[in-house]
Amino acid sequence: MPAFSLLALFGALPMAINAWHSLFDVFTLDSKLWVGLDWYREILTSARFYESFGRSLVFSAAVLAVQVPLGLLIALNLPRAGWLRSLGLVLLAVPLMVPWNMIPMIWLSLIDPETGLLGQAMAWAGIDFDHRFKALHTWILLIVMDTWHWVGLVAILSCAGLASIPAAYYQAAAIDRASRWQVFRFIELPRLRGVLLMAVMLRFMDSFMIYTEAFGINAGGPSGATTFLSLDLGEEIKAFDYGPAAARSVVYFAMTLAIAFAFWRAMTAERAEAA
């Protein structure tokens, strides 16, 4: 009951108030014009909404394709015990503690051709990297930046999953002379399925809602190439279009809730199979 009460107070109630405001053209809190479902019709029939939705999905798919295998690879190659393992886990956790609004500032300073280490290295190698006017370069920077920030989470979760595998499994594999690939395929990967599914869910939900990093790098540019759903919502809030912004946030929440429910069903099925 305490958990339910907190969820209702800080989650359900604000969203219900927001949904109510989405039915109005809001000038001030005391001055509103009823418009019904007009904002929803406008959003769901807008080509820009579906383009932004597509970009958000592509970005989430790209970071998952990079971060999940990379995080798992890092976890598999960390020492199983000792101070080197502890040091590795600490280093993996450091980027997770950096505030989101600092991430784009750090990376923009790194790729600066005049003062940044990466920028100077790319200039020395003859690489013309221009994230401001080349969409592909902006996407590469966003994916690399997000991977640096979050791959540690996948690696740490994978390490936790590997640590839970009983030593008897490895001893039996050694007796059977199983190869390293066979150990991974038939022992480690099946035992990591639940952990990896949790990592995929967390990373998908966070990457799907990316705002601060993308806005800080190029504010959705160049030419809208990195305008995600979250940036569209942010633009409406900053423009004080509270009615459309409220409707867009409700649509955004409904999509996020549907995705979270799909992951929950998958995780429930995973636990049922394990039992």
Side-chain angles (χ1 to χ4, degrees), residues 151-183:
V151 72
L153 175 65
V154 180
I156 291 171
L157 288 174
S158 299
C159 283
L162 289 170
S164 68
I165 300 176
Y169 283 59
Y170 293 103
Q171 294 168 357
I175 293 172
D176 291 338
R177 296 183 178 181
S179 66
R180 183 66 187 89
W181 167 253
Q182 289 173 324
V183 171

PDB file of all heavy atoms in Angstrom, residues 151-183:
ATOM      1  N   VAL A 151      27.223   2.268 -21.297  1.00  0.00           N
ATOM      2  CA  VAL A 151      27.640   0.874 -21.474  1.00  0.00           C
ATOM      3  C   VAL A 151      28.056   0.258 -20.139  1.00  0.00           C
ATOM      4  O   VAL A 151      27.949  -0.963 -19.940  1.00  0.00           O
ATOM      5  CB  VAL A 151      28.778   0.772 -22.515  1.00  0.00           C
ATOM      6  CG1 VAL A 151      30.095   1.326 -21.963  1.00  0.00           C
ATOM      7  CG2 VAL A 151      28.953  -0.665 -22.977  1.00  0.00           C
ATOM      8  N   GLY A 152      28.515   1.092 -19.213  1.00  0.00           N
ATOM      9  CA  GLY A 152      28.885   0.584 -17.901  1.00  0.00           C
ATOM     10  C   GLY A 152      27.720  -0.064 -17.180  1.00  0.00           C
ATOM     11  O   GLY A 152      27.897  -1.044 -16.437  1.00  0.00           O
ATOM     12  N   LEU A 153      26.505   0.450 -17.375  1.00  0.00           N
ATOM     13  CA  LEU A 153      25.331  -0.137 -16.735  1.00  0.00           C
ATOM     14  C   LEU A 153      25.110  -1.557 -17.223  1.00  0.00           C
ATOM     15  O   LEU A 153      24.867  -2.474 -16.435  1.00  0.00           O
ATOM     16  CB  LEU A 153      24.097   0.720 -17.023  1.00  0.00           C
ATOM     17  CG  LEU A 153      22.756   0.170 -16.515  1.00  0.00           C
ATOM     18  CD1 LEU A 153      22.750   0.116 -14.990  1.00  0.00           C
ATOM     19  CD2 LEU A 153      21.594   1.010 -17.019  1.00  0.00           C
ATOM     20  N   VAL A 154      25.196  -1.762 -18.537  1.00  0.00           N
ATOM     21  CA  VAL A 154      25.026  -3.103 -19.103  1.00  0.00           C
ATOM     22  C   VAL A 154      26.113  -4.036 -18.584  1.00  0.00           C
ATOM     23  O   VAL A 154      25.853  -5.190 -18.224  1.00  0.00           O
ATOM     24  CB  VAL A 154      25.046  -3.047 -20.645  1.00  0.00           C
ATOM     25  CG1 VAL A 154      24.865  -4.444 -21.234  1.00  0.00           C
ATOM     26  CG2 VAL A 154      23.978  -2.105 -21.164  1.00  0.00           C
ATOM     27  N   ALA A 155      27.352  -3.535 -18.539  1.00  0.00           N
ATOM     28  CA  ALA A 155      28.469  -4.363 -18.076  1.00  0.00           C
ATOM     29  C   ALA A 155      28.296  -4.742 -16.604  1.00  0.00           C
ATOM     30  O   ALA A 155      28.532  -5.897 -16.220  1.00  0.00           O
ATOM     31  CB  ALA A 155      29.787  -3.622 -18.291  1.00  0.00           C
ATOM     32  N   ILE A 156      27.890  -3.793 -15.771  1.00  0.00           N
ATOM     33  CA  ILE A 156      27.727  -4.071 -14.338  1.00  0.00           C
ATOM     34  C   ILE A 156      26.588  -5.066 -14.103  1.00  0.00           C
ATOM     35  O   ILE A 156      26.714  -5.993 -13.289  1.00  0.00           O
ATOM     36  CB  ILE A 156      27.484  -2.757 -13.574  1.00  0.00           C
ATOM     37  CG1 ILE A 156      28.755  -1.907 -13.581  1.00  0.00           C
ATOM     38  CG2 ILE A 156      27.044  -3.029 -12.138  1.00  0.00           C
ATOM     39  CD1 ILE A 156      28.564  -0.507 -13.044  1.00  0.00           C
ATOM     40  N   LEU A 157      25.478  -4.895 -14.813  1.00  0.00           N
ATOM     41  CA  LEU A 157      24.382  -5.858 -14.689  1.00  0.00           C
ATOM     42  C   LEU A 157      24.818  -7.244 -15.152  1.00  0.00           C
ATOM     43  O   LEU A 157      24.472  -8.252 -14.524  1.00  0.00           O
ATOM     44  CB  LEU A 157      23.182  -5.387 -15.513  1.00  0.00           C
ATOM     45  CG  LEU A 157      22.410  -4.181 -14.969  1.00  0.00           C
ATOM     46  CD1 LEU A 157      21.352  -3.737 -15.965  1.00  0.00           C
ATOM     47  CD2 LEU A 157      21.763  -4.502 -13.633  1.00  0.00           C
ATOM     48  N   SER A 158      25.585  -7.297 -16.238  1.00  0.00           N
ATOM     49  CA  SER A 158      26.074  -8.585 -16.744  1.00  0.00           C
ATOM     50  C   SER A 158      27.031  -9.227 -15.746  1.00  0.00           C
ATOM     51  O   SER A 158      27.007 -10.452 -15.541  1.00  0.00           O
ATOM     52  CB  SER A 158      26.764  -8.395 -18.092  1.00  0.00           C
ATOM     53  OG  SER A 158      25.873  -7.875 -19.059  1.00  0.00           O
ATOM     54  N   CYS A 159      27.876  -8.411 -15.113  1.00  0.00           N
ATOM     55  CA  CYS A 159      28.783  -8.934 -14.085  1.00  0.00           C
ATOM     56  C   CYS A 159      28.004  -9.539 -12.930  1.00  0.00           C
ATOM     57  O   CYS A 159      28.370 -10.595 -12.392  1.00  0.00           O
ATOM     58  CB  CYS A 159      29.698  -7.821 -13.584  1.00  0.00           C
ATOM     59  SG  CYS A 159      31.050  -7.398 -14.704  1.00  0.00           S
ATOM     60  N   ALA A 160      26.931  -8.864 -12.532  1.00  0.00           N
ATOM     61  CA  ALA A 160      26.096  -9.382 -11.447  1.00  0.00           C
ATOM     62  C   ALA A 160      25.476 -10.721 -11.842  1.00  0.00           C
ATOM     63  O   ALA A 160      25.402 -11.654 -11.033  1.00  0.00           O
ATOM     64  CB  ALA A 160      25.023  -8.371 -11.090  1.00  0.00           C
ATOM     65  N   GLY A 161      25.025 -10.813 -13.097  1.00  0.00           N
ATOM     66  CA  GLY A 161      24.451 -12.071 -13.559  1.00  0.00           C
ATOM     67  C   GLY A 161      25.477 -13.187 -13.613  1.00  0.00           C
ATOM     68  O   GLY A 161      25.191 -14.333 -13.226  1.00  0.00           O
ATOM     69  N   LEU A 162      26.684 -12.884 -14.071  1.00  0.00           N
ATOM     70  CA  LEU A 162      27.736 -13.898 -14.137  1.00  0.00           C
ATOM     71  C   LEU A 162      28.136 -14.367 -12.739  1.00  0.00           C
ATOM     72  O   LEU A 162      28.435 -15.547 -12.529  1.00  0.00           O
ATOM     73  CB  LEU A 162      28.960 -13.332 -14.865  1.00  0.00           C
ATOM     74  CG  LEU A 162      28.805 -13.115 -16.366  1.00  0.00           C
ATOM     75  CD1 LEU A 162      29.988 -12.341 -16.919  1.00  0.00           C
ATOM     76  CD2 LEU A 162      28.661 -14.450 -17.096  1.00  0.00           C
ATOM     77  N   ALA A 163      28.147 -13.437 -11.779  1.00  0.00           N
ATOM     78  CA  ALA A 163      28.534 -13.796 -10.410  1.00  0.00           C
ATOM     79  C   ALA A 163      27.527 -14.737  -9.756  1.00  0.00           C
ATOM     80  O   ALA A 163      27.869 -15.435  -8.789  1.00  0.00           O
ATOM     81  CB  ALA A 163      28.688 -12.527  -9.577  1.00  0.00           C
ATOM     82  N   SER A 164      26.295 -14.752 -10.270  1.00  0.00           N
ATOM     83  CA  SER A 164      25.260 -15.605  -9.668  1.00  0.00           C
ATOM     84  C   SER A 164      25.284 -17.034 -10.207  1.00  0.00           C
ATOM     85  O   SER A 164      24.534 -17.884  -9.721  1.00  0.00           O
ATOM     86  CB  SER A 164      23.875 -14.985  -9.924  1.00  0.00           C
ATOM     87  OG  SER A 164      23.547 -15.046 -11.305  1.00  0.00           O
ATOM     88  N   ILE A 165      26.125 -17.311 -11.200  1.00  0.00           N
ATOM     89  CA  ILE A 165      26.201 -18.658 -11.767  1.00  0.00           C
ATOM     90  C   ILE A 165      27.013 -19.541 -10.821  1.00  0.00           C
ATOM     91  O   ILE A 165      28.166 -19.220 -10.503  1.00  0.00           O
ATOM     92  CB  ILE A 165      26.837 -18.636 -13.166  1.00  0.00           C
ATOM     93  CG1 ILE A 165      26.003 -17.761 -14.110  1.00  0.00           C
ATOM     94  CG2 ILE A 165      26.960 -20.054 -13.726  1.00  0.00           C
ATOM     95  CD1 ILE A 165      26.609 -17.603 -15.497  1.00  0.00           C
ATOM     96  N   PRO A 166      26.472 -20.655 -10.357  1.00  0.00           N
ATOM     97  CA  PRO A 166      27.213 -21.523  -9.424  1.00  0.00           C
ATOM     98  C   PRO A 166      28.508 -22.049 -10.043  1.00  0.00           C
ATOM     99  O   PRO A 166      28.573 -22.335 -11.250  1.00  0.00           O
ATOM    100  CB  PRO A 166      26.226 -22.659  -9.154  1.00  0.00           C
ATOM    101  CG  PRO A 166      24.879 -22.092  -9.474  1.00  0.00           C
ATOM    102  CD  PRO A 166      25.110 -21.135 -10.607  1.00  0.00           C
ATOM    103  N   ALA A 167      29.530 -22.194  -9.231  1.00  0.00           N
ATOM    104  CA  ALA A 167      30.825 -22.691  -9.707  1.00  0.00           C
ATOM    105  C   ALA A 167      30.714 -24.116 -10.232  1.00  0.00           C
ATOM    106  O   ALA A 167      31.513 -24.532 -11.092  1.00  0.00           O
ATOM    107  CB  ALA A 167      31.844 -22.612  -8.569  1.00  0.00           C
ATOM    108  N   ALA A 168      29.722 -24.865  -9.750  1.00  0.00           N
ATOM    109  CA  ALA A 168      29.575 -26.257 -10.189  1.00  0.00           C
ATOM    110  C   ALA A 168      29.327 -26.347 -11.694  1.00  0.00           C
ATOM    111  O   ALA A 168      29.740 -27.325 -12.337  1.00  0.00           O
ATOM    112  CB  ALA A 168      28.430 -26.920  -9.426  1.00  0.00           C
ATOM    113  N   TYR A 169      28.687 -25.343 -12.269  1.00  0.00           N
ATOM    114  CA  TYR A 169      28.443 -25.352 -13.703  1.00  0.00           C
ATOM    115  C   TYR A 169      29.765 -25.319 -14.468  1.00  0.00           C
ATOM    116  O   TYR A 169      29.957 -26.054 -15.451  1.00  0.00           O
ATOM    117  CB  TYR A 169      27.592 -24.147 -14.094  1.00  0.00           C
ATOM    118  CG  TYR A 169      26.125 -24.264 -13.764  1.00  0.00           C
ATOM    119  CD1 TYR A 169      25.699 -24.451 -12.450  1.00  0.00           C
ATOM    120  CD2 TYR A 169      25.165 -24.175 -14.753  1.00  0.00           C
ATOM    121  CE1 TYR A 169      24.363 -24.543 -12.132  1.00  0.00           C
ATOM    122  CE2 TYR A 169      23.808 -24.273 -14.449  1.00  0.00           C
ATOM    123  CZ  TYR A 169      23.427 -24.456 -13.129  1.00  0.00           C
ATOM    124  OH  TYR A 169      22.094 -24.556 -12.834  1.00  0.00           O
ATOM    125  N   TYR A 170      30.667 -24.466 -14.030  1.00  0.00           N
ATOM    126  CA  TYR A 170      31.964 -24.352 -14.696  1.00  0.00           C
ATOM    127  C   TYR A 170      32.808 -25.612 -14.465  1.00  0.00           C
ATOM    128  O   TYR A 170      33.554 -26.044 -15.355  1.00  0.00           O
ATOM    129  CB  TYR A 170      32.708 -23.116 -14.197  1.00  0.00           C
ATOM    130  CG  TYR A 170      32.056 -21.819 -14.594  1.00  0.00           C
ATOM    131  CD1 TYR A 170      31.307 -21.092 -13.674  1.00  0.00           C
ATOM    132  CD2 TYR A 170      32.187 -21.311 -15.891  1.00  0.00           C
ATOM    133  CE1 TYR A 170      30.701 -19.896 -14.041  1.00  0.00           C
ATOM    134  CE2 TYR A 170      31.585 -20.121 -16.255  1.00  0.00           C
ATOM    135  CZ  TYR A 170      30.848 -19.418 -15.317  1.00  0.00           C
ATOM    136  OH  TYR A 170      30.249 -18.227 -15.680  1.00  0.00           O
ATOM    137  N   GLN A 171      32.692 -26.186 -13.272  1.00  0.00           N
ATOM    138  CA  GLN A 171      33.436 -27.409 -12.990  1.00  0.00           C
ATOM    139  C   GLN A 171      32.966 -28.562 -13.875  1.00  0.00           C
ATOM    140  O   GLN A 171      33.782 -29.335 -14.395  1.00  0.00           O
ATOM    141  CB  GLN A 171      33.277 -27.766 -11.507  1.00  0.00           C
ATOM    142  CG  GLN A 171      33.911 -26.759 -10.562  1.00  0.00           C
ATOM    143  CD  GLN A 171      33.494 -26.963  -9.117  1.00  0.00           C
ATOM    144  OE1 GLN A 171      32.670 -27.850  -8.814  1.00  0.00           O
ATOM    145  NE2 GLN A 171      34.032 -26.158  -8.216  1.00  0.00           N
ATOM    146  N   ALA A 172      31.656 -28.650 -14.058  1.00  0.00           N
ATOM    147  CA  ALA A 172      31.120 -29.692 -14.940  1.00  0.00           C
ATOM    148  C   ALA A 172      31.561 -29.470 -16.381  1.00  0.00           C
ATOM    149  O   ALA A 172      31.893 -30.422 -17.100  1.00  0.00           O
ATOM    150  CB  ALA A 172      29.591 -29.711 -14.848  1.00  0.00           C
ATOM    151  N   ALA A 173      31.590 -28.201 -16.806  1.00  0.00           N
ATOM    152  CA  ALA A 173      32.039 -27.892 -18.164  1.00  0.00           C
ATOM    153  C   ALA A 173      33.513 -28.246 -18.350  1.00  0.00           C
ATOM    154  O   ALA A 173      33.916 -28.734 -19.412  1.00  0.00           O
ATOM    155  CB  ALA A 173      31.816 -26.409 -18.455  1.00  0.00           C
ATOM    156  N   ALA A 174      34.324 -27.998 -17.314  1.00  0.00           N
ATOM    157  CA  ALA A 174      35.747 -28.342 -17.401  1.00  0.00           C
ATOM    158  C   ALA A 174      35.934 -29.851 -17.490  1.00  0.00           C
ATOM    159  O   ALA A 174      36.795 -30.332 -18.248  1.00  0.00           O
ATOM    160  CB  ALA A 174      36.482 -27.784 -16.194  1.00  0.00           C
ATOM    161  N   ILE A 175      35.140 -30.598 -16.735  1.00  0.00           N
ATOM    162  CA  ILE A 175      35.229 -32.060 -16.793  1.00  0.00           C
ATOM    163  C   ILE A 175      34.860 -32.562 -18.180  1.00  0.00           C
ATOM    164  O   ILE A 175      35.481 -33.490 -18.721  1.00  0.00           O
ATOM    165  CB  ILE A 175      34.319 -32.690 -15.726  1.00  0.00           C
ATOM    166  CG1 ILE A 175      34.855 -32.367 -14.323  1.00  0.00           C
ATOM    167  CG2 ILE A 175      34.208 -34.199 -15.916  1.00  0.00           C
ATOM    168  CD1 ILE A 175      33.932 -32.784 -13.202  1.00  0.00           C
ATOM    169  N   ASP A 176      33.844 -31.937 -18.791  1.00  0.00           N
ATOM    170  CA  ASP A 176      33.404 -32.331 -20.136  1.00  0.00           C
ATOM    171  C   ASP A 176      34.275 -31.735 -21.241  1.00  0.00           C
ATOM    172  O   ASP A 176      34.001 -31.945 -22.422  1.00  0.00           O
ATOM    173  CB  ASP A 176      31.950 -31.896 -20.357  1.00  0.00           C
ATOM    174  CG  ASP A 176      30.983 -32.689 -19.489  1.00  0.00           C
ATOM    175  OD1 ASP A 176      31.354 -33.800 -19.066  1.00  0.00           O
ATOM    176  OD2 ASP A 176      29.871 -32.186 -19.229  1.00  0.00           O
ATOM    177  N   ARG A 177      35.300 -30.936 -20.834  1.00  0.00           N
ATOM    178  CA  ARG A 177      36.201 -30.295 -21.790  1.00  0.00           C
ATOM    179  C   ARG A 177      35.442 -29.400 -22.782  1.00  0.00           C
ATOM    180  O   ARG A 177      35.707 -29.422 -23.996  1.00  0.00           O
ATOM    181  CB  ARG A 177      37.031 -31.335 -22.539  1.00  0.00           C
ATOM    182  CG  ARG A 177      37.973 -32.125 -21.653  1.00  0.00           C
ATOM    183  CD  ARG A 177      38.833 -33.082 -22.433  1.00  0.00           C
ATOM    184  NE  ARG A 177      39.759 -33.789 -21.563  1.00  0.00           N
ATOM    185  CZ  ARG A 177      40.654 -34.687 -21.989  1.00  0.00           C
ATOM    186  NH1 ARG A 177      40.733 -34.969 -23.282  1.00  0.00           N
ATOM    187  NH2 ARG A 177      41.455 -35.284 -21.125  1.00  0.00           N
ATOM    188  N   ALA A 178      34.510 -28.653 -22.250  1.00  0.00           N
ATOM    189  CA  ALA A 178      33.752 -27.727 -23.100  1.00  0.00           C
ATOM    190  C   ALA A 178      34.646 -26.556 -23.497  1.00  0.00           C
ATOM    191  O   ALA A 178      35.486 -26.093 -22.718  1.00  0.00           O
ATOM    192  CB  ALA A 178      32.529 -27.217 -22.353  1.00  0.00           C
ATOM    193  N   SER A 179      34.471 -26.084 -24.726  1.00  0.00           N
ATOM    194  CA  SER A 179      35.225 -24.922 -25.196  1.00  0.00           C
ATOM    195  C   SER A 179      34.678 -23.654 -24.562  1.00  0.00           C
ATOM    196  O   SER A 179      33.594 -23.651 -23.954  1.00  0.00           O
ATOM    197  CB  SER A 179      35.135 -24.817 -26.720  1.00  0.00           C
ATOM    198  OG  SER A 179      33.797 -24.540 -27.120  1.00  0.00           O
ATOM    199  N   ARG A 180      35.434 -22.546 -24.711  1.00  0.00           N
ATOM    200  CA  ARG A 180      34.976 -21.269 -24.149  1.00  0.00           C
ATOM    201  C   ARG A 180      33.655 -20.851 -24.773  1.00  0.00           C
ATOM    202  O   ARG A 180      32.783 -20.311 -24.078  1.00  0.00           O
ATOM    203  CB  ARG A 180      36.034 -20.186 -24.402  1.00  0.00           C
ATOM    204  CG  ARG A 180      35.649 -18.835 -23.765  1.00  0.00           C
ATOM    205  CD  ARG A 180      35.641 -18.947 -22.272  1.00  0.00           C
ATOM    206  NE  ARG A 180      35.132 -17.754 -21.584  1.00  0.00           N
ATOM    207  CZ  ARG A 180      33.866 -17.538 -21.280  1.00  0.00           C
ATOM    208  NH1 ARG A 180      32.943 -18.444 -21.593  1.00  0.00           N
ATOM    209  NH2 ARG A 180      33.492 -16.449 -20.645  1.00  0.00           N
ATOM    210  N   TRP A 181      33.487 -21.088 -26.068  1.00  0.00           N
ATOM    211  CA  TRP A 181      32.235 -20.745 -26.728  1.00  0.00           C
ATOM    212  C   TRP A 181      31.086 -21.593 -26.195  1.00  0.00           C
ATOM    213  O   TRP A 181      29.979 -21.088 -25.969  1.00  0.00           O
ATOM    214  CB  TRP A 181      32.367 -20.916 -28.237  1.00  0.00           C
ATOM    215  CG  TRP A 181      31.052 -20.894 -28.948  1.00  0.00           C
ATOM    216  CD1 TRP A 181      30.396 -21.946 -29.515  1.00  0.00           C
ATOM    217  CD2 TRP A 181      30.186 -19.759 -29.109  1.00  0.00           C
ATOM    218  NE1 TRP A 181      29.189 -21.542 -30.034  1.00  0.00           N
ATOM    219  CE2 TRP A 181      29.036 -20.202 -29.803  1.00  0.00           C
ATOM    220  CE3 TRP A 181      30.284 -18.425 -28.749  1.00  0.00           C
ATOM    221  CZ2 TRP A 181      27.995 -19.351 -30.138  1.00  0.00           C
ATOM    222  CZ3 TRP A 181      29.237 -17.574 -29.084  1.00  0.00           C
ATOM    223  CH2 TRP A 181      28.113 -18.033 -29.773  1.00  0.00           C
ATOM    224  N   GLN A 182      31.336 -22.875 -25.952  1.00  0.00           N
ATOM    225  CA  GLN A 182      30.283 -23.747 -25.434  1.00  0.00           C
ATOM    226  C   GLN A 182      29.875 -23.340 -24.024  1.00  0.00           C
ATOM    227  O   GLN A 182      28.690 -23.399 -23.676  1.00  0.00           O
ATOM    228  CB  GLN A 182      30.764 -25.201 -25.456  1.00  0.00           C
ATOM    229  CG  GLN A 182      30.875 -25.782 -26.860  1.00  0.00           C
ATOM    230  CD  GLN A 182      31.513 -27.157 -26.868  1.00  0.00           C
ATOM    231  OE1 GLN A 182      32.420 -27.430 -26.086  1.00  0.00           O
ATOM    232  NE2 GLN A 182      31.040 -28.027 -27.751  1.00  0.00           N
ATOM    233  N   VAL A 183      30.855 -22.930 -23.214  1.00  0.00           N
ATOM    234  CA  VAL A 183      30.531 -22.445 -21.868  1.00  0.00           C
ATOM    235  C   VAL A 183      29.634 -21.225 -21.954  1.00  0.00           C
ATOM    236  O   VAL A 183      28.640 -21.104 -21.234  1.00  0.00           O
ATOM    237  CB  VAL A 183      31.815 -22.121 -21.089  1.00  0.00           C
ATOM    238  CG1 VAL A 183      31.488 -21.415 -19.778  1.00  0.00           C
ATOM    239  CG2 VAL A 183      32.605 -23.395 -20.818  1.00  0.00           C
TER     240      VAL A 183
END
